[in-house]
Amino acid sequence: MAILTSRPRGTNDFLPGETARWQYLERTLLQTAELYGFKEIRTPTFEHTELFQRGVGDTTDVVSKEMYTFLDKGDRSITLRPEGTAGLARAAIENGLLGEALPLKLSYAIDCFRYEKSQKGRFRQFHQFGVECYGADLPVTDAEIISLAFDCLKTLGLSGLTLAINSIGCPTCRANYYKALKDCFESRRGELCETCQTRLDKNPMRILDCKSPVCQKIAAEAPQVTDYLCPDCRAHFEELQRLLTSAGIPYTIDPGIVRGLDYYTRTVFEISVPDFPALCGGGRYGGLVKELGGPDVEGIGFAMGLERLLMVMKEQNCPVPEEQSCDLYIASMGKAASEQAFRMVSALRAEGFSAQCDLVGRSVKAQMKYANKLGAKYSMVLGDNELSEGRAALKAMATGTQQEMTIGEGFAEAFSDVMMNGYVLAAADAAAEFGSQK
Ligand code: AMP
């Protein structure tokens, strides 16, 4: 393998043409979250390893198997973030954001790193958009977060969305549930995979999330967490269901959803589309902020994988705005004309147009070929004649129609008129045609 010219496995190059989709996606998601009052935060790509061990939980697959961890030159253990929630909680605590007016609402669009087997929709460097809301415990918060996740996906034009919710309770009710799980799994310990045998002692609920078919089969017969909820957790879950129903958000209850990260309490949810389970996943976390040394505030959030989102958008033919192409290419012949072209493109850019001129000293024919390849809407050729007359022909590339324009002062405004009223050229043509018919 040519190491210098191949990217590491599980990573992607996003080429010009694709990046416009990414910009649109991130902008749309962040703006939708802003309607709910979420403000974007940007945190470091790497954090101290302990943050994820403590925050996400070292019995999770993400932490125990998938982290990119290394010692830096100062012998500190550093990890490339595998998810966003722990880093955001750390930043909120460190910057004193949780001491201000609550709830605190944060959004993020980040890259994440997990050493996973790369396959369709699963990468080692991938991107997530997500939100976190701290300091709001009422079930209406859970409903609002779910409603935002739905809005995000609907705004992008996705259809066929299904929402599945569950409650995994609080530490009080979970103690009873863990006992029931242990009783159930203990008799079949030998059949579980090696990792799940360790999980059985440390965190039996993780077994429900195991990808091994044998463990999944055993897990299907395990007791369900919703049967072990304490009265408070049950009331919270029932209120959430009432709110979702009254907001017209359809859902199903899926006791199998436990989510892959340790910090969740009470509400957990996943939004899927056919062929893409868990396109978006999220839930409430009671102990995370306190565990990391912050105040005792609850958080709730979700994350959606952007690569998968783009794949589904392509599959469903969701509309994406086209990227801005070159509005005007000015070809030139000779030094004086090329200086004039340079001045004109500068003036056009100042007016917000995308304009280009020759940078390599090619023939006019070659310059026009390049303008074609760029997909320029208009082109213009400047030579000695044009300079001495102060006028040049503006050509619409799609139709070949031309219009004489003054090229000195005021050109950018005149071009702006042409761009805004595309019919200027068409009208001139129509007049010419009308004249020729007479
Ligand atoms: P999680 O943080 O595991 O709850 O994942 C949140 C979302 O991130 C998932 O619903 C996926 O859409 C996405 N995701 C997780 N892992 C990967 C990965 N390795 N490659 C691409 N997307 C991922």
Side-chain angles (χ1 to χ4, degrees):
M1 184 178 69
I3 205 107
L4 291 183
T5 50
S6 9
R7 55 181 185 268
R9 187 185 289 271
T11 62
N12 287 300
D13 295 313
F14 300 111
L15 304 180
E18 278 170 89
T19 41
R21 284 173 177 273
W22 281 87
Q23 288 164 8
Y24 162 73
L25 185 60
E26 290 177 0
R27 202 175 48 240
T28 307
L29 293 169
L30 289 166
Q31 281 173 358
T32 307
E34 194 140 24
L35 297 178
Y36 285 70
F38 288 82
K39 304 284 180 208
E40 189 192 0
I41 183 169
R42 298 187 183 197
T43 62
T45 305
F46 56 83
E47 299 271 1
H48 296 294
T49 302
E50 211 183 337
L51 174 70
F52 302 113
Q53 288 169 334
R54 291 281 288 277
V56 179
D58 44 19
T59 53
T60 60
D61 274 2
V62 169
V63 172
S64 63
K65 299 185 194 162
E66 297 169 358
M67 292 211 299
Y68 276 91
T69 298
F70 57 95
L71 285 182
D72 72 4
K73 290 188 197 301
D75 255 355
R76 294 172 205 93
S77 182
I78 293 293
T79 294
L80 301 183
R81 62 181 165 211
E83 54 93 65
T85 303
L88 254 70
R90 194 267 313 135
I93 298 167
E94 184 170 349
N95 295 288
L97 305 185
L98 297 164
E100 296 166 14
L102 296 177
L104 171 68
K105 294 177 170 184
L106 302 174
S107 61
Y108 62 90
I110 58 172
D111 50 356
C112 300
F113 305 83
R114 293 183 195 174
Y115 195 83
E116 292 198 76
K117 211 166 148 203
S118 56
Q119 49 187 282
K120 189 186 171 214
R122 199 162 276 284
F123 306 98
R124 292 182 176 170
Q125 182 187 18
F126 62 98
H127 296 77
Q128 281 189 346
F129 162 77
V131 304
E132 310 291 351
C133 174
Y134 304 93
D137 301 355
L138 294 181
V140 67
T141 321
D142 309 37
E144 183 171 277
I145 291 287
I146 290 172
S147 156
L148 168 57
F150 243 89
D151 271 0
C152 285
L153 298 170
K154 275 195 297 200
T155 307
L156 293 169
L158 292 182
S159 55
L161 303 168
T162 52
L163 163 69
I165 59 170
N166 189 24
S167 173
I168 55 172
C170 64
T172 313
C173 40
R174 225 181 291 162
N176 293 331
Y177 181 53
Y178 275 18
K179 193 173 167 307
L181 275 183
K182 275 191 175 168
D183 289 348
C184 159
F185 288 133
E186 197 59 63
S187 59
R188 306 185 71 174
R189 180 183 275 270
E191 295 170 62
L192 295 171
C193 75
E194 221 172 277
T195 319
C196 281
Q197 294 192 16
T198 320
R199 287 170 172 154
L200 183 49
D201 301 319
K202 288 191 180 166
N203 189 348
M205 207 164 67
R206 284 272 74 78
I207 299 173
L208 305 180
D209 218 25
C210 181
K211 287 165 196 134
S212 132
V214 180
C215 298
Q216 275 181 3
K217 198 156 170 270
I218 299 174
E221 292 155 23
Q224 296 190 343
V225 61
T226 34
D227 293 331
Y228 290 81
L229 296 181
C230 68
D232 282 354
C233 287
R234 183 171 306 283
H236 186 100
F237 193 40
E238 281 169 3
E239 178 65 8
L240 169 63
Q241 292 172 51
R242 263 194 300 278
L243 288 163
L244 289 176
T245 305
S246 77
I249 301 176
Y251 63 89
T252 53
I253 297 174
D254 180 352
I257 300 178
V258 293
R259 307 289 307 139
L261 315 173
D262 263 0
Y263 42 62
Y264 289 110
T265 48
R266 291 193 169 169
T267 309
V268 285
F269 66 94
E270 290 180 352
I271 301 177
S272 305
V273 292
D275 296 338
F276 274 93
L279 186 61
C280 167
R284 177 172 281 282
Y285 38 93
L288 175 68
V289 176
K290 193 158 177 246
E291 171 76 19
L292 298 179
D296 192 5
V297 295
E298 290 202 6
I300 178 165
F302 66 73
M304 39 182 88
L306 299 189
E307 280 80 0
R308 290 184 203 176
L309 207 46
L310 276 176
M311 286 166 87
V312 180
M313 285 170 69
K314 258 188 205 160
E315 250 166 50
Q316 295 196 357
N317 283 323
C318 298
V320 175
E322 282 183 19
E323 60 182 354
Q324 187 175 13
S325 62
C326 179
D327 295 316
L328 175 60
Y329 185 91
I330 306 185
S332 57
M333 245 180 318
K335 193 159 179 295
S338 98
E339 276 175 24
Q340 171 72 4
F342 180 62
R343 275 194 300 276
M344 286 169 71
V345 292
S346 304
L348 285 163
R349 290 166 187 160
E351 293 296 317
F353 295 111
S354 165
Q356 298 199 48
C357 61
D358 179 46
L359 302 178
V360 282
R362 278 191 282 229
S363 70
V364 167
K365 195 171 162 212
Q367 290 180 52
M368 291 310 290
K369 214 169 141 190
Y370 184 66
N372 238 324
K373 184 160 179 282
L374 289 179
K377 295 187 188 90
Y378 292 92
S379 69
M380 176 172 268
V381 180
L382 297 184
D384 291 342
N385 280 350
E386 284 78 9
L387 287 197
S388 63
E389 283 169 24
R391 296 178 70 75
L394 179 73
K395 178 175 163 189
M397 297 292 275
T399 58
T401 45
Q402 304 203 17
Q403 178 171 300
E404 278 260 305
M405 300 200 46
T406 308
I407 55 173
E409 216 44 21
F411 173 75
E413 290 81 56
F415 181 72
S416 175
D417 282 347
V418 174
M419 283 292 286
M420 282 213 296
N421 314 301
Y423 60 81
V424 169
L425 284 178
D429 282 351
E433 249 179 40
F434 182 70
S436 70
Q437 280 168 10
K438 272 208 292 195

